[in-house]
Amino acid sequence: MAISASSSTENLGVQSVGKLLAQYSVPAIIASVATSLYNIIDSIFIGRGVGPLAIAGLAITFPLMNLVAAFCMLIAAGGATISSIFLGQKNFSRATDVVNNVFSLCLVHSVVFGGLTLLFLDPILLFFGATPDTIGYAREFMEVILYGTPIGFVFIGLNNLMRATGYPRKAMISALISVAVNLVLAPVFIFVLDLGIRGAAWATVMGQFSAFVWVLSHFMSSKSSIHFKRTNKWLTWSIIKRIYSIGLSPFLMNVCACVVVIFINRALLDYGGDDGNLAVGAYGIINRTTMFFVMIVFGVTQGMQPILGYNIGANNFDRVKRVLKLGIWIGVAITLIGWIISEGFPDTVSSLFTTDETLVSIARDGFRIYFICYPVVGCQIVIQNFFQSVGKPQMSIFLSLTRQLLFLIPFLVIFPRFWGIEGVWASMAGSDIIAFVVSISTLWWWMRHTMRKMEMQAAMKDA
C-alpha cells in the first residue's frame, strides 16, 4: 500500500524540534561524514600511491570540482527547499512537479556543463594554477569525473529531494552506497590495476552510479510518497524559475569558492618559492580536513532544511526559531572540535596523506594559522543556510558573497605582500571572523524586522 505524502511529513509541524533535528540531521551527518571520509581516503590513496605532486594536481582540480558542484546544487538545493515548502502547504501535486523538473534539469545541466568543460579542459586547468608538473595529474582526474557528470548530477539532485520529501534514512543509505563502492574500488584501481589518479576518479564515478540506481528506483516506485508521474509537469518555467531563485545561493557560494581557490593556488605558487607546488599540495590536505568538519555542519543544515521549509510554509514561527537556535549550537560545537584537532595535532593529520617531510612542514604552519578562528565557522554556515531554507535566497547569497569575495579575496591580495605564505593562511582566518560578525548582525536584523512582520501578518490572517 502506498504511503501518503501527508503521513510522511505531518510530524514536521508537531513533533519535538530536538527529536526532528536528530531524525533528519543524523542520517544527513552520517552521509556527509561518509562523503568527506571518502574524499580524505581518496586523497590518502593518491598521496601514498601516486606521490606528493599528485596531491598538488588534485588540489588544482578543486576549483573545477566546485564549479561542478555549483551547477548541480543550483538545482538540488532549490528543488529540495521548494518541495518542502509545497509539502508544508499540503500541495503534493506541485511537490511532484518539482521532482520531475529537478530530474530533467540535472540531465540538461550535466550534459551542457560537462561537454563544454571537456572541450577546454587544459586551458581551464592552467588558468586554475596548474604547472607542467601537475597538469597531467589534474587532467587525468577531471576527464573521468566530467564523463560521469550526468550520473553525479542526477544522484545528488534526487538525493536532496529524497531527504526533503520525508526519507532522510534512505538519503543516508544512498550516500553510504556511493562511499562504500568508492572505497572498495579506489585501492584496487590505484594499487592493483596501477591506474594512478585516473583510477581514483573511476572509483568515484562507479560509486555515484551505484547510488544513482538506488535513488532512481526510489522515485520510480509508487510506494514513495512523492515520485515521478508522467502526467505531472517536467520542464515548467514557473518551477524552474523558483528552483534557480533559491538554488542561486549555494550556486554562487560554490562559484565563489572556485574563484577563491584560484586566488589561493596562485598565491601559494607565488609566495611558496621553490616549494610552490608542495604548498598547493599542503592546501589540498588542509582543504580536505576543513571540508570534513564543514560537511558535518552541512549535514546539520540539510537536516534543518525540511523542518524549516515545512514550518515556514505553515507559519509555525516559534518552531523555526527553535530549530535555528539548536542548529547554531550544534554547528559551533562541530567546528570547535575541528579547531582542537587541527591546532593540536597538525603533523598527525598531514602524515595520513603523505610521508614527504617538506609537505608536512608546510601544512603544519598552514593548519595552525588557517584554523585559528575556525570555531565561528559553524555558526556562519548555519545562518547562511537558514536563509536559503526559509526561502530567502537573497540573504543567503549576501552572506556567501561577503565572506568569499568582499573579505577573503582582498585579504589574499594584501596579506601575502606583508607576511608571505603565512599571509595566505591568515587571510582565510581573517575572513572567517568578519563573516561571522556580519552573519550574526544580519540574522538579528532579519529576526527583528522581517520575521516579526511575517508573524503579525499570520496573526491577522488567523484572527
Side-chain angles (χ1 to χ4, degrees):
M1 183 175 67
I3 300 170
S4 72
S6 176
S7 64
S8 297
T9 58
E10 61 184 7
N11 285 340
L12 291 170
V14 295
Q15 202 171 64
S16 160
V17 163
K19 187 174 181 179
L20 276 173
L21 196 55
Q23 178 186 341
Y24 278 81
S25 288
V26 169
I29 289 170
I30 291 172
S32 295
V33 168
T35 301
S36 297
L37 280 176
Y38 101 69
N39 284 331
I40 289 171
I41 294 171
D42 248 9
S43 298
I44 292 172
F45 287 149
I46 291 169
R48 291 181 170 269
V50 188
L53 284 177
I55 287 282
L58 184 65
I60 293 298
T61 70
F62 289 168
L64 192 48
M65 293 293 283
N66 282 328
L67 273 182
V68 172
F71 281 95
C72 184
M73 291 308 294
L74 175 62
I75 309 164
T81 298
I82 295 167
S83 62
S84 293
I85 293 173
F86 280 144
L87 289 174
Q89 297 168 346
K90 312 297 183 184
N91 195 338
F92 306 120
S93 179
R94 293 289 278 173
T96 301
D97 290 342
V98 173
V99 173
N100 290 357
N101 276 263
V102 164
F103 176 76
S104 303
L105 285 174
C106 283
L107 289 178
V108 172
H109 274 227
S110 62
V111 172
V112 173
F113 175 80
L116 288 175
T117 307
L118 277 169
L119 287 176
F120 304 101
L121 185 56
D122 272 17
I124 291 171
L125 292 174
L126 290 169
F127 178 73
F128 287 167
T131 67
D133 293 325
T134 58
I135 190 170
Y137 296 112
R139 183 197 307 116
E140 287 185 10
F141 185 82
M142 282 310 307
E143 280 178 346
V144 177
I145 295 296
L146 290 170
Y147 289 140
T149 47
I151 294 169
F153 272 46
V154 172
F155 156 52
I156 294 171
L158 293 184
N159 202 51
N160 276 263
L161 284 178
M162 185 186 288
R163 183 181 302 108
T165 54
Y167 296 90
R169 290 185 181 179
K170 291 190 77 172
M172 173 192 73
I173 291 172
S174 62
L176 292 177
I177 290 171
S178 173
V179 171
V181 172
N182 188 314
L183 292 183
V184 169
L185 293 181
V188 174
F189 288 170
I190 294 173
F191 296 106
V192 179
L193 299 182
D194 198 26
L195 294 178
I197 197 170
R198 189 182 292 272
W202 274 116
T204 298
V205 172
M206 294 303 295
Q208 290 179 343
F209 177 76
S210 302
F212 161 86
V213 173
W214 165 265
V215 174
L216 202 61
S217 65
H218 167 84
F219 282 102
M220 292 180 70
S221 172
S222 59
K223 294 182 180 180
S224 302
S225 59
I226 302 294
H227 54 272
F228 296 132
K229 287 186 179 178
R230 285 179 293 179
T231 53
N232 280 69
K233 298 173 182 177
W234 289 85
L235 281 175
T236 307
W237 175 241
S238 61
I239 292 177
I240 293 172
K241 186 167 61 174
R242 290 193 66 182
I243 288 174
Y244 284 164
S245 174
I246 294 177
L248 190 61
S249 171
F251 172 80
L252 289 178
M253 184 174 69
N254 280 287
V255 170
C256 289
C258 168
V259 174
V260 165
V261 174
I262 295 170
F263 274 84
I264 292 171
N265 284 344
R266 290 192 173 276
L268 291 170
L269 288 170
D270 290 341
Y271 294 95
D274 293 337
D275 294 321
N277 282 322
L278 291 183
V280 172
Y283 172 65
I285 293 172
I286 293 169
N287 180 274
R288 286 298 196 215
T289 306
T290 187
M291 285 307 297
F292 174 77
F293 296 101
V294 166
M295 288 297 290
I296 298 175
V297 180
F298 278 150
V300 175
T301 62
Q302 286 173 349
M304 293 169 60
Q305 182 271 316
I307 308 170
L308 289 169
Y310 184 97
N311 283 285
I312 204 74
N315 293 329
N316 295 330
F317 299 110
D318 286 341
R319 291 175 64 80
V320 169
K321 293 175 185 177
R322 293 203 298 272
V323 173
L324 172 63
K325 183 177 180 180
L326 184 56
I328 288 175
W329 280 113
I330 295 172
V332 171
I334 291 165
T335 47
L336 178 61
I337 293 171
W339 176 80
I340 292 170
I341 293 172
S342 300
E343 290 288 342
F345 311 98
D347 285 11
T348 303
V349 176
S350 299
S351 296
L352 294 173
F353 295 85
T354 182
T355 56
D356 189 284
E357 293 183 4
T358 304
L359 184 52
V360 171
S361 176
I362 297 171
R364 179 192 309 127
D365 294 338
F367 268 114
R368 291 203 163 134
I369 300 172
Y370 184 112
F371 275 83
I372 196 167
C373 299
Y374 197 65
V376 302
V377 170
C379 178
Q380 197 269 341
I381 292 172
V382 170
I383 293 174
Q384 180 180 315
N385 282 273
F386 164 78
F387 286 116
Q388 175 190 313
S389 296
V390 297
K392 302 295 177 184
Q394 300 89 344
M395 307 297 289
S396 184
I397 292 168
F398 166 72
L399 295 179
S400 177
L401 292 180
T402 52
R403 179 184 180 274
Q404 301 194 74
L405 291 183
L406 298 184
F407 303 142
L408 182 51
I409 288 181
F411 288 172
L412 283 168
V413 173
I414 297 168
F415 286 8
R417 296 183 180 181
F418 295 95
W419 301 300
I421 193 172
E422 287 80 9
V424 179
W425 311 125
S427 63
M428 304 176 208
S431 67
D432 284 340
I433 193 67
I434 296 179
F436 164 73
V437 173
V438 171
S439 296
I440 289 290
S441 302
T442 303
L443 179 64
W444 176 85
W445 178 89
W446 191 83
M447 286 287 186
R448 189 175 179 85
H449 295 87
T450 306
M451 179 166 271
R452 182 172 295 179
K453 184 178 178 181
M454 293 168 66
E455 289 173 329
M456 292 175 61
Q457 290 173 344
M460 291 173 62
K461 194 177 295 184
D462 293 338

